């Protein structure tokens, strides 16, 4: 005991903590996002892993008439179909989880080690799924926008005029914008500069900026390259001939839409293995269901001059008579 310290009169905190149970959290992972795109997308089951999009061939050639009263001859017509429609095939996002049986046997209280490992790995797989829906070379939205549905910003930052022009490309029942959070912040700055702050809407318990009643949904899966990103506008659902998410139903060990977890066995090293697979894809049913605003600058800021008016001098009181 140090000379300048008196005798200990009671149990110390450090010693008392040895008999206390610490309240523990589950493992936290900073890469988990809300994945709003997956929530807002409408999903269609694909029974055999193939989704064929049949379209009408030359729909502008379909002849109809509004004849006057009488016995006018009606046009003879038919609706032709594309002979080689596009087919979408489900792709997989997969991983194998290894857990030593000694770890799962001894250290699963209060949290089951296997379930926690599966939870975190499934979250990572779902994050990759959303990234593939946006960026996949075959079916990702950024790579499936029709040329006539693409436009660039007028001056760099996303302005209300740019967003209005994008709406004209997807004017049939648009659902929401999708872009990087930095682009939403840049759009907010442009609205503030023009004195038209965008209203907000509550979805899933969170607040979203809107423009013309359409929510601006953030996703960090939309890339930012060289200070520029993109803004997507979607119409969703089969009934609206929009963008549709695809998944495989009825999988063994199913834990969600197109998601399965299967036990693979225990090796001679006492390591248990689990196969996690998520099968998904995305289809754009008609070209006008998806629009893209390109070359969106996210690093421009406005410098406002701060000038303050001089307050008026207080009125002088006259002497009472």
């Amino acid at each position: 005991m140090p000379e300048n310290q008196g005798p200990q009169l009671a149990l110390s905190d450090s010693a008392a903590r040895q008999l206390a149970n610490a309240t523990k959290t589950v493992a936290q992972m900073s890469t988990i996002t809300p994945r709003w795109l997956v929530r807002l997308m409408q999903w269609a089951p694909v029974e055999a892993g193939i989704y064929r999009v049949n379209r009408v061939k030359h729909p502008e050639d379909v002849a109809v008439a509004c004849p006057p009263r009488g016995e006018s001859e009606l046009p003879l017509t038919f609706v032709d179909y594309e002979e080689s429609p596009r087919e979408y095939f489900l792709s997989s996002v997969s991983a194998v989880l290894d857990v030593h049986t000694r770890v799962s046997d001894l250290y699963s209280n209060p949290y089951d080690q296997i379930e926690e490992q599966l939870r975190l790995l499934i979250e990572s797989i779902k994050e990759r799924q959303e990234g593939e829906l946006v960026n996949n070379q075959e079916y990702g939205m950024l790579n499936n926008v029709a040329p006539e549905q693409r436009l660039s910003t007028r001056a760099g930052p996303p302005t209300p005029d740019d967003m209005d022009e994008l709406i004209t490309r997807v004017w049939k029942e648009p659902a929401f914008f999708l872009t990087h959070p930095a682009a939403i912040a840049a759009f907010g700055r442009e609205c503030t500069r023009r004195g038209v702050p965008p209203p907000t809407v509550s979805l899933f318990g969170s607040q979203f900026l809107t423009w013309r009643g359409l929510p601006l949904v953030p996703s960090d899966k939309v890339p930012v390259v060289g200070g520029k990103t993109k803004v997507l506008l979607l119409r969703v659902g089969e009934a609206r001939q929009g963008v549709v998410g695809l998944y495989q139903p009825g999988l063994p060990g199913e834990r969600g839409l197109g998601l399965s977890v299967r036990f693979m066995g225990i090796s001679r090293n006492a390591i248990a293995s689990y196969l996690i697979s998520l099968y998904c894809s995305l289809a754009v049913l008609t070209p006008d269901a998806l629009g893209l605003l390109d070359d969106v600058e996210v690093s421009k800021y406005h410098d406002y001059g701060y000038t303050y008016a001089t307050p008026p001098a207080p009125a002088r009181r006259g002497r009472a008579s």
Side-chain angles (χ1 to χ4, degrees), residues 18 39 54 59 87 90 102-103 126 138 148 197 199 207 224 232 243 270 273 279 294-295 299-300 319:
Q18 307 310 311
R39 300 194 197 187
N54 293 302
E87 292 182 341
L90 296 182
R102 182 183 67 255
V103 171
K126 289 182 176 180
E138 180 182 350
E148 66 273 12
Q207 298 298 313
V224 177
L232 288 161
V243 181
S273 298
Y279 298 93
D294 208 347
D295 299 324
S299 57
K300 282 193 175 181
R319 293 182 178 179

Side-chain angles (χ1 to χ4, degrees), residues 60-127:
E60 65 278 0
D61 295 338
V62 178
V64 296
C66 183
R69 293 182 179 88
E71 298 180 354
S72 301
E73 185 176 350
L74 298 178
L76 301 176
T77 188
F78 69 96
V79 181
D80 201 1
Y81 304 145
E82 292 181 350
E83 296 178 359
S84 301
R86 179 173 178 180
E87 292 182 341
Y88 293 84
F89 300 91
L90 296 182
S91 63
S92 66
V93 183
S94 304
V96 174
L97 171 65
D98 289 335
V99 180
H100 203 289
T101 55
R102 182 183 67 255
V103 171
S104 60
D105 290 343
L106 299 180
Y107 308 110
S108 288
N109 188 20
Y111 299 112
D112 188 298
Q113 290 287 350
I114 294 177
E115 287 301 320
E116 283 302 301
Q117 288 284 297
L118 287 173
R119 179 181 68 84
L120 295 172
L121 188 52
I122 288 173
E123 290 288 345
S124 298
I125 287 176
K126 289 182 176 180
E127 291 292 330

Side-chain angles (χ1 to χ4, degrees), residues 58-255:
H58 302 301
E60 65 278 0
D61 295 338
V62 178
V64 296
C66 183
R69 293 182 179 88
E71 298 180 354
S72 301
E73 185 176 350
L74 298 178
L76 301 176
T77 188
F78 69 96
V79 181
D80 201 1
Y81 304 145
E82 292 181 350
E83 296 178 359
S84 301
R86 179 173 178 180
E87 292 182 341
Y88 293 84
F89 300 91
L90 296 182
S91 63
S92 66
V93 183
S94 304
V96 174
L97 171 65
D98 289 335
V99 180
H100 203 289
T101 55
R102 182 183 67 255
V103 171
S104 60
D105 290 343
L106 299 180
Y107 308 110
S108 288
N109 188 20
Y111 299 112
D112 188 298
Q113 290 287 350
I114 294 177
E115 287 301 320
E116 283 302 301
Q117 288 284 297
L118 287 173
R119 179 181 68 84
L120 295 172
L121 188 52
I122 288 173
E123 290 288 345
S124 298
I125 287 176
K126 289 182 176 180
E127 291 292 330
R128 181 61 182 269
Q129 174 199 22
E130 186 176 72
E132 292 298 309
L133 294 176
V134 176
N135 299 291
N136 186 277
Q137 290 296 323
E138 180 182 350
Y139 61 83
M141 288 186 290
L142 292 181
N143 299 304
N144 282 275
V145 181
E148 66 273 12
Q149 294 293 102
R150 295 175 177 266
L151 65 150
S152 297
T153 57
R154 295 171 180 267
T159 64
D161 293 337
D162 294 323
M163 304 300 267
D164 285 342
E165 186 66 22
L166 185 57
I167 292 175
T168 65
R169 307 297 172 94
V170 192
W171 60 270
K172 305 174 187 176
E173 300 181 282
F176 57 90
F177 297 97
L178 181 75
T179 187
H180 194 277
I184 297 178
F187 177 69
R189 291 193 295 269
E190 295 301 315
C191 290
T192 300
R193 183 169 180 260
R194 289 162 172 77
V196 285
T200 60
V201 66
S202 179
L203 296 173
F204 307 106
S206 298
Q207 298 298 313
F208 293 82
L209 292 182
T210 66
W211 184 249
R212 307 302 188 195
L214 302 174
L216 283 79
V217 178
S219 173
D220 62 348
K221 313 306 185 302
V222 181
V224 177
V225 180
K228 293 184 177 181
T229 186
K230 307 173 188 296
V231 178
L232 288 161
L233 179 58
L234 294 75
R235 178 174 70 248
V236 298
E238 284 185 314
R240 292 182 172 89
Q241 301 185 121
V243 181
V244 180
L246 310 175
Y247 74 98
Q248 178 73 33
L251 292 170
E254 190 173 53
R255 289 208 178 190

Side-chain angles (χ1 to χ4, degrees), residues 101 263-273:
T101 55
F263 178 60
M264 298 175 62
I266 301 176
S267 71
R268 294 176 64 88
N269 297 321
I271 295 177
S273 298

